[in-house]
Amino acid sequence: MARKKSLAAQVVQAYRDAQKAKAAEAKRQQQEQARREKAAAQAQRQREREAAKLERDQAQEWVRAKKEKERQEAEQARKAEQVVRDLEKRQAAREREAELKKKALAREVAEAAKLAKQREAEQLRQEAEERTEAVRQQVALMQSVLVERPSGLRAHRGAVEEALLRQGPEGLMAAVDQVLAAVPYPEGLRGAWRSAFAPETRELLLEIDLPGQDVAPTAAHYRFKASVPPAVVPQPRKDAEVKELYRTLVARLSLRAIDEAFAVTPHSLVNVVAFNGHVHSKDRATGKAIRPCLVSVRSSRETFEDLVLDEPELDPVTCLRHLNAVVSQHPYDLEPVRPVVTFDLSKYKRAPEVDVVAGLDNRPDLVALDPIEFEHLVRRLFEAIGLKAWVTQASRDDGVDAVATNEDPIMGGLCIIQAKRTKNTVPTEAVRALAGVMHDKAAAKGILVTTAWFGKASHDFAQRTGRMQLIDGRGLKALLQEHLNIDALIGLPKLPPGWETRDVR
């Protein structure tokens, strides 16, 4: 029993011990669990503290970063503002500098404009003085044209007399024309002239073209006018003064022409000079070309040589009336007078017939022909074309080389032909001169033939007249080939504009 009790006690004791051990283990485990929980709690708290610290550190770092960023942004903003301020300052400085430059430039421009205006005004004043001086000189030339006559004309009398002995009246006229053509005249005061000689009466007939009214300056002087724009304006000369200037000029030129005619001709050959002074102009009523006679006089040598033309007190108009001249009362208005002597200029001196074509080489050089041969060749050409032509003598009366007649009852009439053997451009003055001869002769047509060429101004003038034909070297070469079967050469030093080599070869 006792063993059983002891065993039971042992079992109980063992159970109790097991329970105690179990309780102790449970307690230990509880303690361990508590310890672990405490450690976990501590670790959690540590982690939380660390997390909190990290969060605080992060927050502080964020705050520091934010502050640094704000500081940097503020610094950048400050720098940007400083840059803007600097830019604004520089821009303002540039604007001030530009404004100063602009003002300086404006001052320079204004100063330059002022100087330019002053220079222009000075130039205009100088121009006014020069034009006034030119007017004064023109008036002085007009007033001295009679006093300042050339000397030495009497030295040509022997040559004139010899020309008469060799070639007759035509030779005398040619010699007189040659001498008088070389006499210098002030520019614009000499016109075309023509002469004829009647040996049976010892009378030399002289006809000249006087300058037009525009030769008399209508301005007394010129002055500078400070207007906008500034200008040089003429101070008009009184109409009566202008007309008197022209009237006395016509008288002086007439007396000088007669004096020169007597000077170059011997006493034994010429005792009387008959003079007509004409002027080319336009009829203001009709617009047609006119050629009124303003002065006509017939004077003997004895009467004329009794005059003292160098006397400053000589009144040229009164002097002409002393010679019983017929003088226009109003020459400036082109009031005509009836000529004392009428020139029969419709008759030309015929030259001996020359068969130029028969004497030419197979390919003649037109430029190498002498003037007479060339003129006769042109005559033969127009005869071959169908005109009835004849040539004047070398004195070249009125500048006419040949007169041709077209016998067509409708389109016919008198045709004036001029031949110019030259290597250069034919001047426009030659075309205008032909027009004057056509008008003087009442010719239906005028033809100007040359070995060279014409300029545009000449073609335009001929086209405006409607009655003129210009034949240049190319055209002449083609006409000679067509009508006379002459393959001519044109020995020009250079090809004219627009020509080809075949045009001259």
Side-chain angles (χ1 to χ4, degrees), residues 379-390:
R379 172 186 63 82
R380 289 295 302 274
L381 172 62
F382 283 98
E383 285 179 346
I385 292 174
L387 299 180
K388 183 179 179 182
W390 50 275

Side-chain angles (χ1 to χ4, degrees), residues 31-45:
Q31 290 176 348
E32 181 66 19
Q33 180 67 27
R35 187 187 63 75
R36 290 178 178 174
E37 289 179 353
K38 183 177 179 181
Q42 289 177 349
Q44 179 67 26
R45 285 195 298 274

Side-chain angles (χ1 to χ4, degrees), residues 293-312:
C293 179
L294 303 183
V295 180
S296 185
V297 59
R298 186 174 183 272
S299 175
S300 67
R301 184 184 294 270
E302 181 182 2
T303 302
F304 194 84
E305 289 183 348
D306 192 46
L307 303 175
V308 185
L309 299 180
D310 297 329
E311 172 56 47

Side-chain angles (χ1 to χ4, degrees), residues 173-239:
M173 292 167 55
V176 170
D177 291 349
Q178 182 179 1
V179 173
L180 294 183
V183 175
Y185 268 71
E187 183 178 358
L189 298 187
R190 180 171 193 147
W193 49 271
R194 54 188 62 84
S195 63
F197 178 56
E200 58 277 0
T201 60
R202 297 166 57 199
E203 185 169 356
L204 182 69
L205 290 76
L206 186 65
E207 183 173 281
I208 69 170
D209 288 336
L210 298 167
Q213 309 101 306
D214 55 350
V215 74
T218 57
H221 63 271
Y222 289 84
R223 63 181 180 87
F224 169 71
K225 183 179 181 181
S227 56
V228 181
V232 174
V233 296
Q235 185 66 32
R237 191 183 300 271
K238 294 180 180 179
D239 289 345

Side-chain angles (χ1 to χ4, degrees), residues 349-362:
K349 301 176 294 297
R350 299 185 63 161
E353 294 294 327
V354 178
D355 191 355
V356 178
V357 177
L360 291 178
D361 296 332
N362 185 35

